[in-house]
Amino acid sequence: MSKFTLLIHCPDTSGIIASVTSFFYKHKGNIIYIDQYVDVENKIFFMRLECEFAHLIKIESLKNEFAEAIGKPYEMSWHIYTAGMKPNMALFVSRYDHCLYDILGRYRSGELDVNIPIIISNHNDLEYIAKSFDIPFYHIPVVKGEKDKAEKRQLELLKKENIDLIVLARYMQIISSRMIKAYPNRIINIHHSFLPAFAGAKPYHFAYKRGVKIIGATCHYVTKELDAGPIIEQDITRISHSHSVKDLILKGRDLEKIVLARGIKLHIDRKTLVYNNKTIVFT
Amino acid sequence: MSKFTLLIHCPDTSGIIASVTSFFYKHKGNIIYIDQYVDVENKIFFMRLECEFAHLIKIESLKNEFAEAIGKPYEMSWHIYTAGMKPNMALFVSRYDHCLYDILGRYRSGELDVNIPIIISNHNDLEYIAKSFDIPFYHIPVVKGEKDKAEKRQLELLKKENIDLIVLARYMQIISSRMIKAYPNRIINIHHSFLPAFAGAKPYHFAYKRGVKIIGATCHYVTKELDAGPIIEQDITRISHSHSVKDLILKGRDLEKIVLARGIKLHIDRKTLVYNNKTIVFT
Amino acid sequence: MSKFTLLIHCPDTSGIIASVTSFFYKHKGNIIYIDQYVDVENKIFFMRLECEFAHLIKIESLKNEFAEAIGKPYEMSWHIYTAGMKPNMALFVSRYDHCLYDILGRYRSGELDVNIPIIISNHNDLEYIAKSFDIPFYHIPVVKGEKDKAEKRQLELLKKENIDLIVLARYMQIISSRMIKAYPNRIINIHHSFLPAFAGAKPYHFAYKRGVKIIGATCHYVTKELDAGPIIEQDITRISHSHSVKDLILKGRDLEKIVLARGIKLHIDRKTLVYNNKTIVFT
Amino acid sequence: MSKFTLLIHCPDTSGIIASVTSFFYKHKGNIIYIDQYVDVENKIFFMRLECEFAHLIKIESLKNEFAEAIGKPYEMSWHIYTAGMKPNMALFVSRYDHCLYDILGRYRSGELDVNIPIIISNHNDLEYIAKSFDIPFYHIPVVKGEKDKAEKRQLELLKKENIDLIVLARYMQIISSRMIKAYPNRIINIHHSFLPAFAGAKPYHFAYKRGVKIIGATCHYVTKELDAGPIIEQDITRISHSHSVKDLILKGRDLEKIVLARGIKLHIDRKTLVYNNKTIVFT
């Protein structure tokens, strides 16, 4: 048996769903999931579809046929992900360990269908965790004036390991536009506030100062504009006047872990599509 | 322009989506919403679909064609609801006013696409509210030994007003199996606990006694077994040891209102399908 | 039996709790609630205390004694609210009816321990609701260039009715600094976003544009700086890419109603203390 | 400087707060936290108090004085916990690793003020995790007919390590009444449902079958009656008809981790008091 996930976006017109589903029906596929969304304002059609086949399929010839029969006529951007194509995910960390522990725990228990070939950090504080999980750890210090050199080293490693997805697990450095260009909508960050509130540094300090009654965390793709990329997932927790900044940081940790983990899983499971600086999240 | 919503369930097989979507494509319909679900265990396929037509359609002939071409071959249970077919909703209340106020407020502001021709109550405490919203109010006391008589009167009224949907807005009486048979999966109740916890009477008292840290409310279709019908919607709120039973009742009110309102709206918007004592909720 | 609530703030020092509780013990009061908070940064002590007496007390002489024995030595700001002192609350509305219905429903059912002598609006759309609840409604149009005149009329009415608390139940006008000075920390507003995100106009439109996955509502005291006053309560609800601005507005209504109602209740129950543009909320 | 936490419960009468706070004031203590609760039904007074001293105090003589002056006259059950008295916590696990990883991650990062001298398991699957955190792991198989023998071995180990608190981190065995008697209100369990719903085995399967729209987790003290002990903390997450049992298990993991971690922290921080099969949780 074989199975794949198809992600599509294209100009909206009638007949797309009928054409796509009929195509796979003719190829004896069984559609086990379909969800679609139309951005009415911009007239864009989005679809996610999972298809199963009782027999082994020749994926390359199917893709070619799909491109000809459906992709071109509808001017589609589309991608077929076959089951078993595990993405290679690199983790970037600094000194906070909670997101790292959380991701590696999920990875070890089989919750994340992914490979983690490398962990990169500008500090070596967390090397011992990488070791205890048997994952290669690269300490690449980011020194003032030599940031460019550090980034080249990072890019070499990412290329060498065929990295598909970069996760900034509380990596306390700004990502350059070169890196962003190399991994468009493939760098996931966790920000410790309910964006757009408290973008930038020290959100818990500003949340404390403003006297908010909820704090949040936001998982988003990294774009050039700081903390302004497409949001994948957000969640919040209640606080009160009696919580100090330290309390907020502690409470926020659990949020950060869970929101980041959800965002990673959505991406890995091919449930996200980015358009117009927003993330369509299929559920 | 015309528009309708189609709800389907049938034995699962491949090709259903392609067949259905192609059928409407051939009739020049534009599918603006599609969602589907397969109960893998019982091999049942469920689908909700919204379809728009630029022109006026002959709905009866379309239905006949659909029955022949799709409905029969796939052994479907299906229903087409055209936009504008507003359901007639009867409200049953006793003495609590919060759900009644809430529903009527939403009704008045246009949030609920429904007619409310009658309010029925076993007490006359809330008649003044019905009056202030200009809705006919029927006081049908439910006296011991004469329950059957009261119910006949209710059924007559419901029939006369062509009622499609009954909402028990904190109606403190048990509904007979005759009434349930007459309105299968069309009687919506709000229960003041997160079912199946605290089924039956006085859930807040039992929640207090058990020392739970959350209380809930459950909106469900009424079936013969008390508080055991298909769940449409649930939500919860946090409590603490310091809350008395009276506090729980007060906090629970807001839950009851919102959970009931959400359940009603899902039903009215044709987003629910009941199967095997569960509710499929399309979103 | 008599009962009162005491709210205190003063410079932090040791012995305050012992002194205050001993004072009431000597006067044969039974403390049924005590909560305290210290702002460590600014060294300010805050306390809320409820005290019951088996006998009738002479409240004025007790206040005098308290001022001498405790208030002055500790340089306290303090206030004693006796049970039964119902605040007079004015409602300001424009055209949205959901918060008004919600507040009046709660008021009618006895949930809010308050008088509502007047409803003031810059439009007359909601007059019929005021009427159905038998509450005097004043239509005071706010015309360009004559805002000052309208405000004078409002202030006269508020004074005449001995208003203690103003609630802006989706009142779509900016409150002048004169009004704010007259009712410091006694004007409660509901803002339809999780402040500080999306302060200002059209928050749902900006939330849609930013692609957030949660929307919120914020209840706060009105201060000179728009949407920047001390926050009393906030809550949120989840949304997805598939929700239009209209959907957000609809979903937001329930949030607005509940968050505003909670904020009003906290104020009325003397559970809030404002300091340094933050609200201490005793629970 | 020294600091301690005092937990009290006693028959309710007036003057307790004044007496206790005056006692510590006379001993030059500064009360930095006070919270109290009265169970009106049973007339029991509960209090939690934190007190700081600028100087070193002789804790034993202070305790003796307190017992004489306050404890005896008011018939109090009371306990003073000095800061720095870290509880010794034993972890019991079976084969699920998510709660274990989570607790050890928090332990390592300093979030839990506790010692973890031993991990006990009826399987050896998770030994490698214990090793990677350098914590002694004891594999004590629980074989049919030899359960008593296994328990004796457990009790020896617990005694030897001066264990104060046992945490069942998804330990899949029923705890005997002998063990419960030895550690009354000191065995914390995580149950994977919102109790009292779905008590007993396989709650996710029953939740799926019932078609609930929320699942939960409950952290409670273990008592003789299975899953009926005093609840410390609960939380929930939303699910839909489309989630399989496997999905529920996966989603439930995050709940279990967080709810158990919160429960442990509340216990360790001396914020819980058990009375009448309920947990008073001071915040």
Side-chain angles (χ1 to χ4, degrees), chain B residues 40 46 122 124 165 185 190 260:
Chain B
V40 178
F46 302 88
N122 52 337
N124 58 14
L165 172 66
N185 297 327
I190 180 73
L260 178 55

Short mmCIF file of all heavy atoms in Angstrom, two decimals, chain B residues 40 46 122 124 165 185 190 260:
data_model
loop_
_atom_site.label_atom_id
_atom_site.label_comp_id
_atom_site.label_asym_id
_atom_site.label_seq_id
_atom_site.Cartn_x
_atom_site.Cartn_y
_atom_site.Cartn_z
N VAL B 40 -13.74 4.76 10.57
CA VAL B 40 -12.97 3.62 10.05
C VAL B 40 -13.48 2.30 10.65
O VAL B 40 -13.58 1.29 9.97
CB VAL B 40 -11.47 3.80 10.36
CG1 VAL B 40 -10.67 2.60 9.86
CG2 VAL B 40 -10.95 5.08 9.71
N PHE B 46 -19.02 10.13 5.93
CA PHE B 46 -19.86 11.29 6.23
C PHE B 46 -19.33 12.49 5.44
O PHE B 46 -18.12 12.66 5.33
CB PHE B 46 -19.80 11.65 7.72
CG PHE B 46 -20.22 10.53 8.62
CD1 PHE B 46 -19.29 9.59 9.06
CD2 PHE B 46 -21.53 10.42 9.06
CE1 PHE B 46 -19.68 8.55 9.90
CE2 PHE B 46 -21.92 9.39 9.90
CZ PHE B 46 -20.98 8.46 10.32
N ASN B 122 -43.68 24.91 31.85
CA ASN B 122 -44.53 24.31 32.88
C ASN B 122 -44.82 25.30 34.02
O ASN B 122 -45.57 24.99 34.94
CB ASN B 122 -43.90 23.02 33.43
CG ASN B 122 -42.47 23.21 33.89
OD1 ASN B 122 -41.79 24.13 33.43
ND2 ASN B 122 -42.01 22.36 34.78
N ASN B 124 -45.34 29.82 34.81
CA ASN B 124 -45.54 31.07 34.06
C ASN B 124 -44.60 32.20 34.49
O ASN B 124 -44.78 33.34 34.12
CB ASN B 124 -47.01 31.51 34.08
CG ASN B 124 -47.49 31.69 35.50
OD1 ASN B 124 -46.68 31.73 36.43
ND2 ASN B 124 -48.80 31.79 35.68
N LEU B 165 -37.36 21.86 15.47
CA LEU B 165 -36.31 21.73 16.48
C LEU B 165 -36.84 22.20 17.84
O LEU B 165 -37.42 23.27 17.93
CB LEU B 165 -35.11 22.61 16.07
CG LEU B 165 -33.98 22.77 17.06
CD1 LEU B 165 -33.27 21.44 17.26
CD2 LEU B 165 -32.99 23.83 16.57
N ASN B 185 -33.27 13.21 17.26
CA ASN B 185 -32.10 14.08 17.07
C ASN B 185 -32.50 15.51 16.74
O ASN B 185 -31.79 16.22 16.06
CB ASN B 185 -31.19 13.52 15.97
CG ASN B 185 -30.62 12.18 16.34
OD1 ASN B 185 -30.36 11.91 17.51
ND2 ASN B 185 -30.44 11.31 15.36
N ILE B 190 -29.46 21.23 27.37
CA ILE B 190 -28.21 21.68 28.01
C ILE B 190 -28.14 21.03 29.39
O ILE B 190 -29.07 21.16 30.20
CB ILE B 190 -28.13 23.22 28.08
CG1 ILE B 190 -26.83 23.67 28.75
CG2 ILE B 190 -29.32 23.85 28.81
CD1 ILE B 190 -25.62 23.48 27.87
N LEU B 260 -24.98 26.02 25.16
CA LEU B 260 -26.26 25.79 24.50
C LEU B 260 -26.36 26.60 23.21
O LEU B 260 -26.76 26.09 22.16
CB LEU B 260 -27.42 26.16 25.44
CG LEU B 260 -28.82 26.00 24.84
CD1 LEU B 260 -29.07 24.60 24.31
CD2 LEU B 260 -29.91 26.35 25.87
#
